[in-house]
């Protein structure tokens, strides 16, 4: 079983729709959760992080965490073609910095006109 | 202008050669990391360093070496012992504090073995 699992996609959504990206993890001790966006040929950029159960909103992005079910999701509202990218989920059992993250293999999102 | 720089952007290596990838940050971050990404794959941790003059092996350290002599710099050497070094190499950095472990990435170095 992979430590962090994501559906590779591609996930196709029409422009203006809500895109829902999901991530499950195997380590029940995971404490910190991150979503990165990676455009083709580029390095990952941090979109959001979440530590507590529930929702965290930042602009068009909402991260949702459910530790009991061991999943974290990312919702993108009003999807734009510029959101087309691969989204990487990362987790760590640590709350402090300087520690390793475990990444999923990413979900490719395509926003269609 | 704060950030993480990596050089070179593209690197070509002959089999049997060692090469060194540069990573520099001016974010005053304590921790630095090296990841490798293969096509269609997630990121795999090679080495990380939480403080100057100290570093730990990640999941795929064999065939790689690092040093951390300065807070700003964390160079990675890909040795001839690395069997399949062609990949996209990413350097990252983060603070060391509670609830502050977000990692930020440099632009990457794409290494190709000829």
């Amino acid at each position: 079983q992979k430590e962090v699992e994501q559906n590779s996609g591609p996930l196709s959504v029409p422009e203006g729709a809500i895109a829902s990206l999901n991530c499950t993890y195997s380590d029940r001790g995971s404490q910190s959760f991150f979503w990165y966006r990676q455009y083709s040929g580029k390095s990952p950029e941090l979109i959001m992080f979440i530590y507590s159960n529930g929702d965290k909103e930042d602009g068009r992005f909402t991260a949702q965490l459910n530790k009991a079910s061991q999943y974290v999701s990312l919702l993108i509202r009003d999807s734009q073609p510029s959101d087309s990218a691969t989204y990487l989920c990362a987790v760590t059992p640590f709350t402090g910095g300087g520690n390793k993250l475990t990444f999923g293999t990413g979900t490719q999102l395509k926003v269609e006109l | 202008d704060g950030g993480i720089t990596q050089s070179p952007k593209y690197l070509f290596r002959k089999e049997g050669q060692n090469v060194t990838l540069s990573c520099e940050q001016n974010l005053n971050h304590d921790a630095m990391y090296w990841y490798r990404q293969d096509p269609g794959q997630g990121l795999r941790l090679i080495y990380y360093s939480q403080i100057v003059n100290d570093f730990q092996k990640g999941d795929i350290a064999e065939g790689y070496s690092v040093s951390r002599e300065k807070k700003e710099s964390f160079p990675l050497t890909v040795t001839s012992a690395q069997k399949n070094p062609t990949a996209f190499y990413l350097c990252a950095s983060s603070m060391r504090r509670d609830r502050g472990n977000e990692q930020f990435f440099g632009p990457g170095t794409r290494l190709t073995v000829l």
Side-chain angles (χ1 to χ4, degrees):
Chain A
Q1 182 189 9
K2 291 182 181 178
E3 294 182 61
V4 179
E5 292 208 49
Q6 297 181 256
N7 188 319
S8 62
L11 172 65
S12 293
V13 299
E15 184 178 6
I18 296 175
S20 177
L21 304 161
N22 300 312
C23 171
T24 58
Y25 58 94
S26 60
D27 183 357
R28 280 200 169 273
S30 297
Q31 297 291 333
S32 305
F33 307 86
F34 305 86
W35 282 101
Y36 287 85
R37 177 176 63 197
Q38 186 175 25
Y39 292 113
S40 180
K42 302 296 186 182
S43 63
E45 54 180 319
L46 181 67
I47 299 176
M48 292 193 71
F49 53 90
I50 187 167
Y51 303 123
S52 303
N53 274 329
D55 295 0
K56 179 182 179 182
E57 187 175 317
D58 184 0
R60 295 188 297 114
F61 300 97
T62 298
Q64 299 175 318
L65 175 61
N66 184 323
K67 289 187 178 180
S69 300
Q70 294 177 245
Y71 83 78
V72 56
S73 61
L74 180 70
L75 302 179
I76 306 175
R77 290 181 299 281
D78 188 24
S79 295
Q80 301 297 310
S82 59
D83 294 325
S84 297
T86 296
Y87 290 79
L88 301 170
C89 171
V91 305
T92 177
F94 302 98
T95 56
N99 293 289
K100 54 190 289 188
L101 299 181
T102 300
F103 284 82
T105 55
T107 297
Q108 185 183 6
L109 174 66
K110 292 185 177 180
V111 180
E112 299 168 334
L113 295 171
Chain B
D1 199 17
I4 305 171
T5 58
Q6 292 185 243
S7 62
K9 186 175 182 180
Y10 298 97
L11 184 58
F12 298 91
R13 190 195 91 172
K14 293 182 180 179
E15 284 196 23
Q17 283 183 334
N18 292 356
V19 291
T20 297
L21 282 57
S22 169
C23 178
E24 304 274 335
Q25 54 96 4
N26 61 4
L27 300 168
N28 199 32
H29 283 172
D30 300 293
M32 297 185 74
Y33 315 79
W34 274 106
Y35 292 90
R36 167 182 173 142
Q37 188 176 36
D38 294 282
Q41 301 296 313
L43 279 65
R44 293 184 291 167
L45 183 65
I46 303 173
Y47 269 98
Y48 65 110
S49 168
Q50 297 175 311
I51 197 169
V52 174
N53 292 322
D54 187 45
F55 49 82
Q56 289 78 40
K57 293 182 179 179
D59 300 316
I60 55 165
E62 185 176 351
Y64 300 97
S65 66
V66 294
S67 63
R68 186 86 186 277
E69 297 176 2
K70 297 187 301 182
K71 185 176 183 178
E72 302 80 21
S73 178
F74 192 39
L76 173 74
T77 297
V78 184
T79 74
S80 57
Q82 169 50 233
K83 300 301 182 190
N84 185 20
T86 295
F88 189 35
Y89 289 87
L90 291 157
C91 178
S93 69
S94 75
M95 295 295 289
R96 286 188 68 214
R97 61 175 189 235
D98 286 344
R99 302 291 186 177
N101 52 3
E102 307 93 81
Q103 294 183 18
F104 298 93
F105 286 85
T109 292
R110 203 166 292 277
L111 173 62
T112 302
V113 174
L114 303 174

